[in-house]
Amino acid sequence: MLITTKAIVIHSLRYSEADLIVTCFTESSGIKTYLLRNILKSKKGKLKKAMFQSLTQLEIVANHKNKNTLESIREAKIDIPYKNLHTDIYKSSISMFLAETLKNTIQEEEENIALYRFLSQAFQKLDELEKFANFHLFFLVHLTHYLGFSPNLSSTKHPYFNLLDGDFQIAETNKYCISNQNSELLKQFLKSDYDNFASIKLNKIRRQSFLEMLLLYFQLHLQGFRKPKSLEILNQLFS
């Protein structure tokens, strides 16, 4: 079936000398993986390697056979161009980390318009922002809403956050309950938006500690979730 859809590039992998295997989150069909033949050698083809950098937003014409095999892309064009997301070393490191995180979290081959719009807006904002050191933290906190395990906001007055249940509570009930700077930071990020999350002041130690807590939260709620390999690079750049 020939489909025209918007798509966000999640991952690209070189396959043989001239091909790419590209995973995209599509607006129409969720996660799809494509085999792009001869894209690394052909200079006259409609598809260019530069189009398939992490988090690039495309409009594609693709052939979806939906038979658990690699799909194909007939045409592609940039849907939303970025100014510096791929050229700024700090933004590109965040992009690499977020793309790897999404690769580990989104598996469904089905339409999810709300998630697509969240991702599309988030990456546009990252491209535009001048202060973005906390962006990946803000992003992960709010991504949980679209993945189905957002922290319960009805009891944020309580001091403990139960990572296992996703609830704020008055007392500690298991080893995954925390009551420290991280639980307070979580409340701040949950209540923040694109206009004010940068005002949350964090040093290297607090930023890394909070990120480790978030990744544990993801591990507890997503089967098979692994820490992104790009985490070390991210921590070094924002130290």
Side-chain angles (χ1 to χ4, degrees):
M1 181 185 300
L2 211 57
I3 296 289
T4 299
T5 181
K6 295 182 179 182
I8 299 172
V9 178
I10 303 299
H11 182 256
S12 295
L13 175 67
R14 183 169 183 156
Y15 179 72
S16 73
E17 292 186 1
D19 304 339
L20 276 182
I21 294 177
V22 177
T23 300
C24 296
F25 182 65
T26 68
E27 187 177 43
S28 68
S29 310
I31 285 290
K32 286 290 183 182
T33 302
Y34 303 94
L35 176 60
L36 309 183
R37 293 193 179 279
N38 212 36
I39 189 174
L40 300 180
K41 285 191 174 181
S42 175
K43 296 181 179 180
K44 297 181 180 180
K46 294 180 180 180
L47 305 180
K48 306 299 181 184
K49 178 184 176 182
M51 293 178 171
F52 298 96
Q53 298 180 76
S54 295
L55 308 189
T56 300
Q57 299 194 45
L58 302 171
E59 182 176 279
I60 63 174
V61 178
N63 188 16
H64 288 177
K65 296 181 180 178
N66 300 317
K67 294 182 178 179
N68 294 321
T69 58
L70 295 175
E71 312 285 17
S72 60
I73 295 178
R74 299 278 188 89
E75 301 175 22
K77 64 180 180 180
I78 301 296
D79 181 45
I80 298 174
Y82 296 135
K83 298 175 183 177
N84 58 18
L85 191 66
H86 294 132
T87 56
D88 182 292
I89 186 172
Y90 295 98
K91 288 186 179 181
S92 63
S93 68
I94 290 178
S95 298
M96 182 169 57
F97 171 79
L98 296 183
E100 191 177 354
T101 301
L102 292 173
K103 183 175 181 290
N104 290 337
T105 56
I106 306 175
Q107 304 297 330
E108 293 76 19
E109 291 191 25
E110 58 186 33
E111 179 184 87
N112 189 333
I113 298 295
L115 175 56
Y116 189 91
R117 288 175 178 170
F118 167 73
L119 297 179
S120 177
Q121 181 187 33
F123 303 144
Q124 289 177 68
K125 289 291 186 181
L126 176 57
D127 182 55
E128 297 167 0
L129 288 169
E130 295 183 1
K131 296 181 179 180
F132 51 86
N134 295 335
F135 181 88
H136 56 300
L137 306 178
F138 170 85
F139 177 90
L140 291 181
V141 168
H142 289 273
L143 177 63
T144 61
H145 171 76
Y146 300 93
L147 299 179
F149 56 96
S150 177
N152 186 347
L153 292 175
S154 64
S155 54
T156 53
K157 63 181 179 181
H158 297 321
Y160 286 91
F161 180 65
N162 188 329
L163 290 164
L164 196 60
D165 295 338
D167 288 323
F168 289 94
Q169 52 194 50
I170 198 166
E172 183 177 7
T173 55
N174 61 44
K175 66 178 182 180
Y176 295 111
C177 289
I178 59 170
S179 177
N180 53 28
Q181 289 181 332
N182 285 338
S183 60
E184 293 304 312
L185 277 174
L186 180 58
K187 294 176 185 179
Q188 292 183 58
F189 276 108
L190 283 167
K191 295 175 182 177
S192 66
D193 56 30
Y194 290 113
D195 294 325
N196 57 32
F197 80 87
S199 65
I200 300 174
K201 303 300 181 183
L202 297 175
N203 59 27
K204 171 187 175 181
I205 294 175
R206 292 189 66 191
R207 183 177 290 115
Q208 292 185 6
S209 175
F210 185 65
L211 180 54
E212 287 290 338
M213 185 208 75
L214 287 178
L215 294 177
L216 174 58
Y217 188 49
F218 273 63
Q219 287 176 311
L220 290 172
H221 291 270
L222 295 172
Q223 185 175 4
F225 179 81
R226 304 180 304 276
K227 283 186 180 180
K229 295 179 181 179
S230 52
L231 176 62
E232 183 178 352
I233 297 173
L234 190 72
N235 286 337
Q236 289 175 355
L237 284 173
F238 288 95
S239 63

